[in-house]
Amino acid sequence: MNKKRILTSTVSLMLSSSLILSACSTSSDKKAQEEKSPVPAVQNNNQNQQAKGSINTTHNQATDEAIKQLFNKVSPNEPGFAYIASFDDGATYKGAVGLDSIEKKLPITTKTIFNIASVSKQFTAFAILLLEQEGKLKLDDSILKYVPSLGEYARPVTLRHLIHHTGGLVDYMQLAEAAKIKDTDNLTAKQSLKHLENHQTAKFPVGTQYDYSNTGYFLLSLVVEKVSGKNLLEFSKERIFKPLNMNDTTFVDRYPTPFPVARGYSKNEQGAYKIYESPWEHMGDGAVHSTVEDLVKWGQNFTTGTVGGKDLVKRMSELGPKTSPSGKPIIDNEDYAIGVSIGKGFDRPYLEHSGGWAGYASHFMRFPEERLTIAVISNYNDADAEEYAKKTAEVILGKSARK
């Protein structure tokens, strides 16, 4: 499954009654436009353990070496990867290759902090569920209850629609591009909210189509702030990250960050690496900065329910409706649950999400039955973190992701 999203089609944006601007989105989940180097195929070390529940969860040196081999073509002198695959009560395989900063020649480690882009969405969704659990909101509330400035056209759009990407609101990134704002230019949350307020046109009738949208999760961050009295950075740190001892994880709403983060890179026309980072200040759809080691702690919460409780955690895997209000199948529908997708492959259910934004790429996977978390993060814009994560899962689980 491919969750590094980019709205690659050109869309027409009606910014006034007399002006239609055609814009190609610079989505927060970018797929590389150039061909990626294939991840090496590595023979798995669980070929005799392919039945469910028979995976070897104890540390295996051959498995460790096979995972390392996946990354052996990554240069130690270029942007690279941090990776981890960890059973809750068993083996952990982790490592890093490449440079945190080319300029300073700092190596990446498993404690290096990266921008994890749209992998952030699950934390926003979880914050919404926590507030619902406390009776402070309902998923079927209209977004206008919390962000009335959007205008009457958005009244049918509920928080549930935003969570499942069926709200029909235009992606704020498309509006930014239509306004000639680059991802390397400054852009505040207030500016994007103003763009949305001025748009007043839905892309499609609410609840009739699946269309991956950063606007929905950006707006959900505003809902958290309206309901809790704290912005998403403060709320998530107090209610999610601190209780889980995710001490190197936080949302970011201002750049540069007050703590060290791996520099993000892309390549110029000559093929040389250049720093590529975005100062956009939005939270909710992205902007969590974390480490692979902290993401394991988050993965464990899907089983323990340390934060939120087990019943709330189970709700993260609830899929959105399959049919529209008229009873017709939702157009282009996908298995997107609450901030995560339901993965297909490996002959077992799992949760996943990928991210890509201005110099960074990430992928997160959680296998509930095996109590296994896999996370891969890179500071190179065109890195295929999803492919590396799935190849890592293949080594451990002994099943192809291509089924």
Side-chain angles (χ1 to χ4, degrees):
M1 187 158 53
N2 217 330
K3 291 299 171 192
K4 284 180 82 179
R5 303 289 180 172
I6 180 167
L7 302 172
T8 53
S9 59
T10 302
V11 295
S12 297
L13 302 173
M14 186 173 293
L15 299 179
S16 69
S17 59
S18 61
L19 177 63
I20 297 180
L21 294 174
S22 181
C24 248
S25 168
T26 321
S27 167
S28 72
D29 284 301
K30 289 179 73 252
K31 262 298 187 191
Q33 298 305 306
E34 61 191 49
E35 185 176 351
K36 299 181 179 69
S37 299
V39 179
V42 176
Q43 182 175 352
N44 75 73
N45 293 285
N46 278 302
Q47 289 182 337
N48 297 320
Q49 301 172 346
Q50 294 195 357
K52 281 188 181 180
S54 64
I55 299 302
N56 182 7
T57 63
T58 59
H59 193 277
N60 181 292
Q61 189 61 35
T63 298
D64 193 31
E65 290 300 321
I67 294 172
K68 287 180 181 177
Q69 186 180 336
L70 293 174
F71 297 87
N72 66 0
K73 290 187 178 180
V74 180
S75 169
N77 301 312
E78 298 176 352
F81 293 86
Y83 65 87
I84 197 165
S86 181
F87 291 97
D88 292 359
D89 299 312
T92 293
Y93 305 99
K94 63 181 180 178
V97 61
L99 294 177
D100 166 313
S101 168
I102 293 176
E103 295 73 25
K104 296 181 179 180
K105 300 190 183 306
L106 296 174
I108 293 171
T109 74
T110 57
K111 295 185 182 297
T112 297
I113 299 173
F114 299 81
N115 185 335
I116 64 172
S118 282
V119 172
S120 309
K121 286 182 170 68
Q122 57 201 288
F123 298 107
T124 306
F126 195 76
I128 291 291
L129 290 185
L130 286 174
L131 291 169
E132 183 199 35
Q133 185 181 61
E134 296 169 358
K136 295 180 178 178
L137 57 77
K138 296 179 181 178
L139 297 192
D140 292 320
D141 288 340
S142 169
I143 185 58
L144 290 194
K145 182 175 180 179
Y146 308 102
V147 192
S149 61
L150 286 175
E152 280 301 310
Y153 89 103
R155 185 167 296 281
V157 180
T158 67
L159 306 189
R160 192 183 304 276
H161 290 128
L162 299 181
I163 286 172
H164 295 298
H165 301 291
T166 58
L169 302 180
V170 67
D171 199 301
Y172 75 83
M173 294 186 174
Q174 293 177 319
L175 297 177
E177 188 164 355
K180 311 260 185 229
I181 299 171
K182 302 175 184 177
D183 55 8
T184 52
D185 294 334
N186 291 318
L187 183 65
T188 67
K190 287 184 178 179
Q191 285 175 295
S192 286
L193 183 58
K194 195 66 177 176
H195 290 164
L196 290 167
E197 291 168 356
N198 290 339
H199 188 62
Q200 296 298 303
T201 304
K203 293 182 70 175
F204 52 82
V206 64
T208 64
Q209 182 174 335
Y210 173 94
D211 185 38
Y212 186 88
S213 172
N214 295 292
T215 289
Y217 278 76
F218 163 52
L219 292 175
L220 289 172
S221 76
L222 304 183
V223 173
V224 171
E225 183 169 2
K226 178 75 172 180
V227 172
S228 71
K230 299 176 181 179
N231 68 20
L232 186 56
L233 186 162
E234 297 165 336
F235 182 88
S236 61
K237 184 170 286 292
E238 178 183 312
R239 299 292 305 278
I240 303 173
F241 302 140
K242 188 174 180 180
L244 292 177
N245 294 315
M246 296 173 67
N247 299 320
D248 292 318
T249 301
T250 183
F251 275 94
V252 171
D253 64 352
R254 293 288 186 278
Y255 295 92
T257 62
F259 51 86
V261 176
R263 300 308 303 262
Y265 294 92
S266 64
K267 286 184 177 180
N268 62 22
E269 293 179 357
Q270 289 73 42
Y273 286 105
K274 64 176 182 178
I275 291 175
Y276 177 36
E277 298 167 352
S278 175
W280 287 14
E281 298 178 359
H282 312 70
M283 294 189 292
D285 58 310
V288 168
H289 290 56
S290 188
T291 69
V292 292
E293 294 198 17
D294 267 9
L295 289 177
V296 165
K297 298 174 184 178
W298 169 245
Q300 291 170 349
N301 194 60
F302 280 94
T303 296
T304 64
T306 299
V307 175
K310 292 185 178 182
D311 288 342
L312 184 144
V313 167
K314 287 179 182 177
R315 295 194 56 205
M316 295 285 286
S317 60
E318 291 179 1
L319 294 173
K322 296 290 186 183
T323 57
S324 68
S326 67
K328 295 181 180 179
I330 290 177
I331 299 169
D332 297 329
N333 201 24
E334 295 193 15
D335 289 336
Y336 197 94
I338 298 184
V340 290
S341 294
I342 307 302
K344 296 178 180 178
F346 302 105
D347 288 346
R348 47 178 55 79
Y350 62 94
L351 309 177
E352 69 174 342
H353 210 296
S354 69
W357 175 239
Y360 301 93
S362 56
H363 198 76
F364 171 87
M365 305 174 77
R366 175 65 182 181
F367 294 85
E369 293 182 17
E370 290 70 28
R371 300 189 177 190
L372 169 67
T373 299
I374 296 174
V376 177
I377 319 177
S378 176
N379 60 335
Y380 174 47
N381 188 66
D382 291 333
D384 198 338
E386 178 178 354
E387 180 73 1
Y388 278 101
K390 290 189 173 180
K391 284 290 187 182
T392 299
E394 213 171 300
V395 170
I396 294 173
L397 300 174
K399 292 289 183 179
S400 173
R402 280 64 182 168
K403 291 189 177 182

